[in-house]
Amino acid sequence: MEKSYRQTYHACVPSGWSNDPNGLIFFNGKYHLFYQHYPYKTQWGIMHWGHVTSRDFVKWENCPIALKPDRVYEAVCGCCSGSAIEVDGKMLLAYTAAQPDLQRQCLAWSDDGIHFTKDPANPVLRADMLHPEVSVKDFRDPYLFRRDGHYYMLAGAKLLEPPYRADQTISAGSVGVGADKFTPTDWNPSNPPFLSGDGLNAGDGWGNLVLCRSDDLYHWTYIGRLIRRSDHLPEQFYQLPGAYECPSYFEVDGTEVVLSSPQNFVGEGKQFQNVHASTYMTGKLDFETGHFAIDAMGEVDYGFDFYAEQAMVTPEGRVVMIAWKEMWDRSFPTQSEGWAGTYTLPRELHVREGRLVQQPVWELKKYRRNPAAFHSLKVEEESVSLPGVAGKTLELSFTLSPDGARRCGVKLFKGQEHETLIYFDAEEGMLVFDRAHSGKETGGRDRDKYRRFCPVEDPSCIRLQCYLDISSVEVFVDGGKAVMTGNVYPDHEGDDGVEFFAEGGACSFADVEKYDIIVK
Ligand code: FRU
C-alpha cells in the first residue's frame, strides 16, 4: 500500500496547495470542480484555479490549471474564489482579482470548459462602482446566478459605517485593468509573496453579504446587504471581524438557502468551535433591497475540517455542496508529502423541517464492495470488533442506543497506539469526534484541539453513517441532520481496526452495515 495520506474517493490537490472549491458546474457532460491552488509550494501563495472533473462526483480527473495569475490587476494575491455559470453554451467563471488592498470581480470564458480567456473588460466590478458602504478592500468570492432574466452576484464583503471612511485609498501597486500583463520580473514563482496572519482580511468594517444585479454582466447595480439587525441574530453575526466568505444561494424543497463561511467568527462553548465557521441560513431574499429575512440558521458541519463550501444545481435539479475539508490557522500534516488540500464528499442538500439535511451523493453507492451486516450487538465495559469490519476506506453505518453507558460509540483507524473516537457522551448529551489519539497532530489556534461536539435529536437512538478514507472521517448523523467532518493522520501500516465500545455501562448497536469503498 502506498504510504501516503492521499484519499481515494475524495478530491485532493495532486501537489502543492489548495483551498476553497470554486466554480462547481455541470458542463459538457462532466461535473467541474475548480479550486484555489498554489502549484509551487504546499502553502498559500498567489492564487491559481486548479481543476478536476468527474462524470459521477466520485472519480476525479486532473485537468490543466484553469486560471493563472498573469494580469497586473491580479498582482499579488491572484485569482481568488468564485463561481461558474453557463452562458450561451460557454462556461463563464466569476472570480476575485485580489490585491493587498483592492478586491475586484472578474470574468473568464471558455468554450470547452478546459481553456479559459480572461475578459478584456476585467475587472468588471469593484466596490467603488457600487456604494461607499462596501469596502474596496474586502469584497470577494462572487456567486453568480440568474433570476427573472437578470444576473445576480452575491459576494462576501465588509461594510463601513457612515460617514464612510475616506481612507479607501489604494496603494500604487493595487491597480491594472484589461490586458495589462505581469512582467516576469514582477513575480518570481520560486519566491512568491505570501499573505500572512489574517489571510485576505484586509480592511476595516464588519462582515456582511452583498447582492448586485446586472443585465449584461458588465454594468452592475448595488442592491444591498443581506444581513440586517432586524433578524434577531446573536451579535457575533453583525460584528464579524472578517468577511462572510464564499457564499452560495439556492432554492431547495421550496426553501431559499444562503451558505457562507464567516471568517473569525467568535463561537462559544460547544458551538462554532472552529476559528472560522460555516453557516446556513434559510429565509427569503428580497431582490429589491437585498435583505435576507432569516427563518433559521445553523452550523453546516460540526467537525474540525470544513470551510468555504459551495453549492451547485445539477441538470436534474439536485443541489450538491462541496467544501474545503481543511481549516485555516492550522498546520497540515500532508505538507511533508508535497500536498495540502482535500474536499468533502459531494453532499446532496435538502431542507426538512426548516433545517439543512445532507447526504453523500447516491453515486457513491456504486463503489460499495464486500458488504458485512450484523443485526444487533450489545456491548458493556468493553471494546468489540466484528468479523469483516475493518479497513481504511469504508462506509460504516449503525444505530446507537446508549443503555446506561457514560460513553459509547466506535473506535476508527484503531491500532496499537492510535484510535479516532466517535461516541455519545451521556453527560454532555452530545456526540463527540475525538482525535486526541488519532495519530499525527495538527497545531493551530483551536480553542479545543482534540474534540468537536454535535447535538443529537434523540439520545436514546442515534443513527450514524461514517465514511472513512485513509485520512478522512465524515459522520452523517440521523440521516444527515448534522454532520461532523475531520481529517486524521494514523500510521500508514496497522491503524485500520474498527471497534464498538461502551464505558461506564452498556450500549446496543443495531443494524450495523459495512462496505469497503473501492474506487478503481
Ligand atoms: C476563503 C478565502 C476566500 C478567498 C480565498 C483566497 O478561504 O479567504 O475569501 O477568495 O480564500 O484563496
Side-chain angles (χ1 to χ4, degrees), residues 19-20 36 44 47 80-81 140-141 200 245-246 307-308 328:
N19 55 284
D20 318 351
Q36 290 284 278
W44 195 92
M47 280 288 110
C80 289
S81 285
R140 59 181 176 273
D141 309 340
L200 287 193
E245 300 189 303
C246 302
Y307 196 69
W328 291 112

Side-chain angles (χ1 to χ4, degrees), residues 285-330:
L285 183 57
D286 183 332
F287 284 85
E288 296 311 312
T289 65
H291 179 216
F292 191 71
I294 299 171
D295 290 331
M297 63 87 47
E299 209 167 342
V300 183
D301 192 290
Y302 293 89
F304 298 89
D305 295 297
F306 188 95
Y307 196 69
E309 70 281 12
Q310 188 175 94
M312 67 172 283
V313 183
T314 66
E316 351 64 83
R318 283 188 289 174
V319 177
V320 174
M321 172 187 77
I322 297 180
W324 186 42
K325 191 161 59 55
E326 311 284 348
M327 180 54 62
W328 291 112
D329 298 303
R330 287 229 188 93

Side-chain angles (χ1 to χ4, degrees), residues 26-94:
F26 184 83
F27 183 82
N28 267 359
K30 287 182 179 170
Y31 299 106
H32 294 251
L33 162 61
F34 301 87
Y35 53 86
Q36 290 284 278
H37 185 34
Y38 186 62
Y40 306 107
K41 280 192 179 174
T42 57
Q43 293 108 20
W44 195 92
I46 187 167
M47 280 288 110
H48 299 54
W49 276 36
H51 188 190
V52 288
T53 56
S54 176
R55 290 198 185 272
D56 66 1
F57 278 129
V58 182
K59 272 186 169 175
W60 293 99
E61 264 175 49
N62 292 316
C63 298
I65 289 176
L67 295 179
K68 289 185 182 167
D70 57 3
R71 305 291 154 137
V72 170
Y73 55 83
E74 293 156 349
V76 289
C77 305
C79 306
C80 289
S81 285
S83 55
I85 61 171
E86 189 172 325
V87 177
D88 300 331
K90 292 178 193 286
M91 197 201 291
L92 172 63
L93 306 182

Side-chain angles (χ1 to χ4, degrees), residues 336-358:
S336 61
E337 297 178 359
W339 62 282
T342 64
Y343 297 89
T344 62
L345 288 174
R347 301 177 185 175
E348 186 173 339
L349 301 183
H350 286 281
V351 172
R352 305 219 196 286
E353 292 159 8
R355 75 195 232 204
L356 194 71
V357 176
Q358 308 171 47

